[in-house]
Amino acid sequence: MSTNTGAGLEDVVATNSNICDLDGKLGKLTYFGVDIHDLAQHSSFEETTYLLWHGTLPTQAQLEEARKQFIVQRTLPDRIIDIMRLLPSTTSPMDVLRTSVSALSAFDPHTSDKSAAANYQRAIRLTAGLPTIVASWENMRNGKDPVAPLQAHNHATNFLYMLTGNMPDDYAAHVLEVALILHADHELNASTFAARVSAGTKADVYASVTAAIGALSGPLHGGANEQVIRMLLRIGEPERAESYIHDALERKERIMGFGHRVYRTDDPRATHLRAMSEELGKRNNDTRWYEISRIIEKSVMEHKGLYANVDFYSASVYYSLGIPIDLDTPIFACSRIAGWTAHILEQYANNRLIRPRAEYSGPKVTKYTPLSERER
Ligand code: COA
């Protein structure tokens, strides 16, 4: 048996995939060969999702059809809203998302149909429905009724509309759209791996996405963006940023939003988020969060040689859009659902149970002593 003692499986190739190519040395990221910079500049979330699911960019007619299917699937079954109403209003939005996705399986119109076509419909249903869950919860926990999804407009515009009940301005919708594209897939990150392990047992799409949401919620993965904005708020003023980082590193703390298991250079996704953070600051006449972020970025590079990752600038971007802090990670999920489902469909199409081994490091032989003879 070949062994790998690295507890985090770093650099272990665990599967073959056609979906996402990630070059950590060059800082290059592609979805089916299409550069993330091109997608960020020219694509839409719906088109990028189509690419992840089908492996090719859609024609105009295919894109229109996909948009229509998304719009239909934005509306949740009433009983999912009823289930959400049973949860305490203090429940974290990630927990609500995980619970609701799990519950959605009970309302699948064709539960026993495990065909590729039925699973594709589930991918659409979940990708279209996640923003409705997040936005509905935001309204419900504030004592309001959920806002019904728009029956037109793109995914990002509808999401921002459902959060507040007001139509967002074009730039805000553009920013969210680009953020959704940038987070849509990232090879075998922890949550996608969790999704594939689950799908590899032939568990259904809902179970696999539920596993992925659980993995995303941790602060070392998707939960990092929320921790970043909390840090920026603690720092408060650009003048305090340098000493804050210095002191935190002295205490051997991790600075959230920095470092990456694969990238050893600038994260290509951070480039776009950095620019949008600056632009949003200017438009809001409040560049504080961008300025603090820049100082932190410089300081962490000087002290630790670490680059900002995707979570660092997404934090100030979402905050500048007026999005409540604890929705940062659920929004990550609303984007990554595209990648999760693409990987789940790919896993089903060429499935083999994922079951690695552990290098046993416990005692070889331990005598069973009766309870009465054991020392306290
Ligand atoms: N802040 C401070 N130091 C960090 C760090 C951070 N964010 N990330 C890594 N390091 C340091 C480690 O302390 C370690 O230093 P040492 O060799 O002096 O002990 C070194 O960099 C290597 O770290 P390691 O934990 O082995 O890297 P990893 O590949 O396991 O970690 C992350 C990857 C993402 C988990 C890690 O960088 C991290 O915790 N980042 C913060 C959370 C975050 O932003 N997550 C989102 C990822 S997209």
Side-chain angles (χ1 to χ4, degrees):
M1 183 170 71
S2 71
T3 57
N4 178 289
T5 48
L9 299 181
E10 38 268 78
D11 296 329
V12 172
V13 174
T15 192
N16 293 325
S17 174
N18 291 335
I19 300 171
C20 179
D21 192 17
L22 172 52
D23 187 324
K25 286 202 188 93
L26 295 178
K28 198 166 162 54
L29 171 62
T30 59
Y31 299 162
F32 281 98
V34 184
D35 198 291
I36 194 67
H37 295 304
D38 287 331
L39 293 169
Q41 284 170 50
H42 308 299
S43 187
S44 61
F45 179 70
E46 288 87 335
E47 183 183 69
T48 298
T49 303
Y50 186 101
L51 172 66
L52 289 169
W53 287 341
H54 296 270
T56 53
L57 289 164
T59 62
Q60 184 68 37
Q62 288 166 332
L63 183 58
E64 281 315 309
E65 181 55 30
R67 284 189 197 281
K68 275 190 210 146
Q69 291 182 326
F70 263 68
I71 289 173
V72 170
Q73 295 295 345
R74 283 176 185 169
T75 304
L76 299 174
D78 288 344
R79 282 160 74 187
I80 290 292
I81 300 288
D82 294 342
I83 289 170
M84 288 165 67
R85 281 193 208 286
L86 294 175
L87 302 171
S89 62
T90 50
T91 310
S92 101
M94 275 306 271
D95 292 355
V96 174
L97 195 59
R98 196 193 59 232
T99 303
S100 307
V101 165
S102 179
L104 265 176
S105 70
F107 302 94
D108 189 290
H110 310 288
T111 321
S112 56
D113 186 349
K114 305 290 183 212
S115 66
N119 285 329
Y120 178 62
Q121 287 307 316
R122 292 178 183 117
I124 297 173
R125 189 174 189 226
L126 284 165
T127 306
L130 253 59
T132 315
I133 297 171
V134 175
S136 298
W137 182 247
E138 172 58 15
N139 284 300
M140 287 159 69
R141 70 175 171 172
N142 288 305
K144 299 185 212 151
D145 284 330
V147 174
L150 294 166
Q151 295 305 306
H153 297 89
N154 68 23
H155 197 68
T157 304
N158 174 58
F159 193 177
L160 289 172
Y161 166 78
M162 288 190 298
L163 278 177
T164 61
N166 300 317
M167 285 304 281
D169 70 47
D170 287 349
Y171 187 67
H174 165 74
V175 166
L176 183 64
E177 172 132 55
V178 174
L180 292 175
I181 291 169
L182 293 171
H183 287 81
D185 194 46
H186 212 227
E187 201 221 44
L188 266 202
N189 59 91
S191 57
T192 302
F193 189 51
R196 288 194 79 129
V197 169
S198 176
T201 70
K202 296 203 175 175
D204 71 19
V205 178
Y206 301 97
S208 304
V209 171
T210 304
I213 294 173
L216 186 74
S217 66
L220 294 188
H221 188 9
N225 53 12
E226 191 179 324
Q227 299 308 319
V228 171
I229 192 65
R230 294 197 191 285
M231 171 177 71
L232 299 187
L233 292 170
R234 271 198 304 279
I235 294 173
E237 297 299 334
E239 300 72 49
R240 299 189 52 220
E242 176 91 54
S243 59
Y244 179 96
I245 295 303
H246 177 269
D247 294 351
L249 290 175
E250 283 279 293
R251 293 191 299 271
K252 304 263 177 250
E253 283 175 17
R254 284 192 178 219
I255 311 299
M256 292 293 125
F258 286 88
H260 198 273
R261 181 54 68 77
V262 181
Y263 289 121
R264 292 293 167 255
T265 179
D266 209 14
D267 182 330
R269 304 164 299 173
T271 317
H272 299 273
L273 291 159
R274 189 186 289 112
M276 294 192 300
S277 169
E278 181 177 19
E279 180 60 23
L280 277 166
K282 285 185 190 153
R283 287 175 185 242
N284 290 350
N285 281 326
D286 183 4
T287 52
R288 214 167 5 146
W289 312 115
Y290 174 72
E291 285 173 42
I292 295 174
S293 301
R294 287 298 280 166
I295 296 168
I296 296 176
E297 198 179 9
K298 204 164 155 275
S299 182
V300 176
M301 176 48 75
E302 270 169 26
H303 292 293
K304 297 289 292 185
L306 292 171
Y307 292 88
N309 60 47
V310 70
D311 288 303
F312 188 62
Y313 280 101
S314 66
S316 52
V317 162
Y318 297 150
Y319 192 72
S320 301
L321 287 176
I323 291 171
I325 295 171
D326 63 357
L327 297 192
D328 285 8
T329 314
I331 288 177
F332 192 157
C334 289
S335 164
R336 187 57 59 84
I337 180 71
W340 290 336
T341 47
H343 280 268
I344 292 166
L345 297 179
E346 188 180 57
Q347 182 70 36
Y348 287 149
N350 191 13
N351 191 50
R352 182 157 173 82
L353 178 77
I354 301 171
R355 201 294 188 196
R357 295 294 311 273
E359 177 84 2
Y360 180 68
S361 52
K364 276 288 175 223
V365 181
T366 305
K367 187 169 173 285
Y368 181 86
T369 44
L371 188 54
S372 59
E373 290 173 21
R374 287 178 223 159
E375 287 180 15
R376 282 205 196 158

